[in-house]
Amino acid sequence: MAQRLESLYRPTHDEAARHGFVGALKRHVNGPMEHTLSAHYDALLASGGGVEQSGVRLQDERLFRLWASVLYTSQDLMWESLGETVDRLNPLYVERWRDLAGRREKLGSLQLDPSLTIPEPIASCEMHRQPGGYCHAADQDNLTAPLAYFSAADLYLSAKGFGLGQAAGTPAMCHLILAAARRKRPGLAPTCVLDMGCGPGTETIGYRMAFPNAEMHGVDLAAPFLKFAHLWAEHQGQAIHYRHANAADTRYPAGKFDLIVSHILFHETSGEMLPQILREAHRLLAPGGVLLNADVPYQTLTQSVPKRITNAWQVDHNGEPFWIGFADTDVRQALIEAGFEPEEVFAEYVPLGSGRYFIFGAAKKDG
Amino acid sequence: MADAPGKVAKTSRTVRDLMLSHDRTKPVFLQEPGMDKAVSAILRLAMEVSVLRDRLATHELLADRSGAYTREEVESFLPDRDEDARRRAWRDDLVERLMHDLK
């Protein structure tokens, strides 16, 4: 009996210790160090610097430069230490992938489209500076891209103390979205669900488990992620249908889904793509269906000046090309322009850990 | 790999090779010359020290639990030829990575 796929992801003692150190470093940089920057900005402002000038001066301070230098290196150390685990485990996952690809009987399905045009910023940007980006080695039997993403998610959850004692890849964020879905539609029982930008499919399984009688679908631009997602689902005995497609042009029939979800899709797309994805979601929803998206809670008008400055730095130096673009988007207006009725549109913050998260979406009017 | 590091990124199968490609050179943030590289090297050393601490803590805990060996035995331990080779290889690797940060 082969080892279960879920237990294959197992950092060695020293790998886990490195991941733990990087997690601690990131907690420090994003927590106390950013708070110190914020206090420093307040002091500049109090000394009569004015908002704009204080922001400019903050970025010239040694403290800010040190924050940038440490944050940049923490990201490098993260990918390097995760890479050690990923490079060691990739051949094991590829072996499982080849076994699955040769199998006739499958619960779900995978449709890859080698001719699919990958839009920017996904095509050429290394999101979060992940080495090689999401589509690295898409034409090979190589799962380093989804494994790197998967391992980073595990590192972040562990660093925040979430998921202790749970196997890596256990669905986590879907619960936030499911709770919001149930608030919007008590007794929600969809028959067909779509996860847009499903990535490695770890959350897609969470939706499938929440609605075991529903047909479950996932779309993503990155072929390597979909291979991983398909492998992950089949090994967990979950029937999920994955399609290699742009969320703005899925080629599913109109009205097919009564629940459409996404998690951190919109801040990783572009200003041109965002309205197209919302229009496609509107087309795909059946009357009465619900669209729910969870994303970063950094809407510009709600952010302090120092937070806007550090966010802008993330865009310039940490592979977050559309973070600010998304933060500046009026998603309510974008949903209305996509065809949703104004009274059916929502955008709100929900508590998450010691912070909060942004949930937005809409219901499609019945009949 | 040393001939055309930029090209490794396109064909590499490992994260490690991608990390070493030239297009990932750290930008300059700090004004003191070379300080950004020093920050990288110091943080790498801190990471490895942290790894060692964790590993030692594991060993001490397990030794305590099982009564397998004593602190005195650790102090008087001498590596055999294979173990010595393993340790030299590990040190060489650390030095190589450190120099990559500093160069």
Side-chain angles (χ1 to χ4, degrees):
Chain A
M1 181 71 187
Q3 193 183 1
R4 286 180 65 80
L5 189 78
E6 303 92 287
S7 56
L8 268 190
Y9 184 80
R10 192 155 181 188
T12 63
H13 182 283
D14 288 5
E15 287 168 7
R18 273 186 200 97
H19 303 174
F21 173 83
V22 171
L25 184 59
K26 287 201 159 289
R27 269 205 314 276
H28 180 78
V29 179
N30 297 331
M33 231 173 157
E34 265 201 40
H35 292 150
T36 311
L37 286 180
S38 199
H40 211 74
Y41 169 82
D42 289 345
L44 289 170
L45 198 59
S47 68
V51 170
E52 198 169 322
Q53 198 52 34
S54 297
V56 171
R57 278 177 63 194
L58 178 70
Q59 291 172 76
D60 207 34
E61 295 277 334
R62 190 172 190 286
L63 190 69
F64 184 89
R65 292 169 178 275
L66 182 64
W67 168 84
S69 189
V70 174
L71 177 47
Y72 193 91
T73 291
S74 77
Q75 197 75 356
D76 271 349
L77 289 178
M78 180 180 87
W79 290 125
E80 183 185 303
S81 60
L82 294 176
E84 193 182 358
T85 310
V86 168
D87 288 342
R88 183 174 58 76
L89 294 178
N90 181 47
L92 301 178
Y93 282 86
V94 166
E95 195 181 313
R96 299 294 179 97
W97 160 251
R98 286 181 177 144
D99 285 349
L100 176 66
R103 207 189 292 167
R104 278 162 190 259
E105 304 265 313
K106 289 171 196 170
L107 296 165
S109 60
L110 171 65
Q111 284 180 39
L112 292 178
D113 178 5
S115 67
L116 183 69
T117 306
I118 309 297
E120 296 297 346
I122 301 293
S124 61
C125 174
E126 291 186 328
M127 303 296 278
H128 316 129
R129 295 178 52 232
Q130 177 176 324
Y134 291 168
C135 297
H136 177 62
D139 55 346
Q140 302 167 20
D141 281 352
N142 183 333
L143 296 170
T144 55
L147 277 168
Y149 185 94
F150 176 93
S151 60
D154 183 56
L155 184 147
Y156 268 96
L157 287 173
S158 305
K160 288 180 175 166
F162 297 151
L164 193 68
Q166 285 187 326
T170 302
M173 292 305 288
C174 67
H175 301 302
L176 189 80
I177 296 163
L178 286 165
R182 291 189 173 113
R183 276 197 305 278
K184 298 291 168 197
R185 280 275 192 279
L188 180 77
T191 57
C192 200
V193 181
L194 174 64
D195 185 5
M196 297 189 299
C198 62
T202 47
E203 301 299 327
T204 321
I205 285 190
Y207 302 116
R208 164 81 188 152
M209 287 160 85
F211 305 115
N213 298 319
E215 198 178 296
M216 187 72 221
H217 295 259
V219 294
D220 204 276
L221 284 168
F225 279 64
L226 290 169
K227 289 179 187 171
F228 184 93
H230 181 49
L231 181 66
W232 195 247
E234 293 294 316
H235 272 269
Q236 297 202 31
Q238 299 292 346
I240 303 178
H241 303 282
Y242 288 107
R243 178 178 285 192
H244 189 204
N246 189 328
D249 178 21
T250 61
R251 307 183 310 280
Y252 290 114
K256 180 174 172 64
F257 300 98
D258 38 18
L259 176 63
I260 298 180
V261 291
S262 82
H263 172 226
I264 53 172
L265 165 68
F266 284 96
H267 86 265
E268 293 189 4
T269 182
S270 67
E272 293 77 49
M273 205 57 81
L274 183 141
Q276 294 176 39
I277 296 173
L278 292 179
R279 272 201 300 277
E280 176 71 348
H282 183 265
R283 184 186 75 81
L284 291 175
L285 273 182
V290 185
L291 166 68
L292 269 162
N293 312 289
D295 218 303
V296 291
Y298 300 138
Q299 284 56 50
T300 304
L301 291 175
T302 70
Q303 298 298 298
S304 67
V305 173
K307 189 67 191 166
R308 290 186 207 179
I309 290 170
T310 54
N311 282 352
W313 186 94
Q314 300 271 3
V315 172
D316 289 342
H317 297 291
N318 215 22
E320 293 283 5
F322 192 56
W323 193 335
I324 297 286
F326 173 67
D328 284 337
T329 301
D330 180 346
V331 291
R332 283 174 184 274
Q333 189 55 36
L335 283 160
I336 293 165
E337 285 167 11
F340 292 99
E341 300 294 331
E343 64 275 18
E344 303 286 352
V345 165
F346 54 86
E348 61 204 29
Y349 293 100
V350 295
L352 176 68
S354 59
R356 61 184 191 169
Y357 223 62
F358 188 51
I359 298 244
F360 66 98
K364 188 168 176 177
K365 229 176 180 170
D366 244 325
Chain B
M1 193 172 75
D3 296 331
K7 287 186 179 164
V8 172
K10 305 286 181 263
T11 54
S12 164
R13 295 185 70 87
T14 66
V15 178
R16 173 155 185 157
D17 283 350
L18 289 165
M19 289 296 298
L20 292 172
S21 67
H22 273 187
D23 50 6
R24 290 186 73 87
T25 303
K26 186 177 180 180
V28 172
F29 299 110
L30 289 156
Q31 285 162 317
E32 306 93 323
M35 189 55 85
D36 287 293
K37 288 176 179 174
V39 165
S40 294
I42 291 163
L43 289 173
R44 176 187 300 287
L45 286 173
M47 177 169 77
E48 293 308 320
V49 169
S50 173
V51 169
L52 285 177
R53 254 195 107 99
D54 280 7
R55 194 158 184 106
L56 278 176
T58 302
H59 276 281
E60 286 175 11
L61 195 82
L62 293 177
D64 252 8
R65 270 191 209 161
S66 66
Y69 59 84
T70 64
R71 191 185 166 82
E72 286 69 37
E73 285 176 279
V74 173
E75 294 297 345
S76 58
F77 177 81
L78 282 176
D80 62 19
R81 187 185 295 271
D82 285 351
E83 178 59 15
D84 184 59
R86 265 195 294 278
R87 291 180 187 200
R88 278 188 287 111
W90 185 91
R91 288 174 202 133
D92 289 346
D93 188 58
L94 177 61
V95 170
E96 189 191 319
R97 286 167 183 249
L98 258 177
M99 290 308 123
H100 179 258
D101 290 333
L102 292 168
K103 76 180 179 227

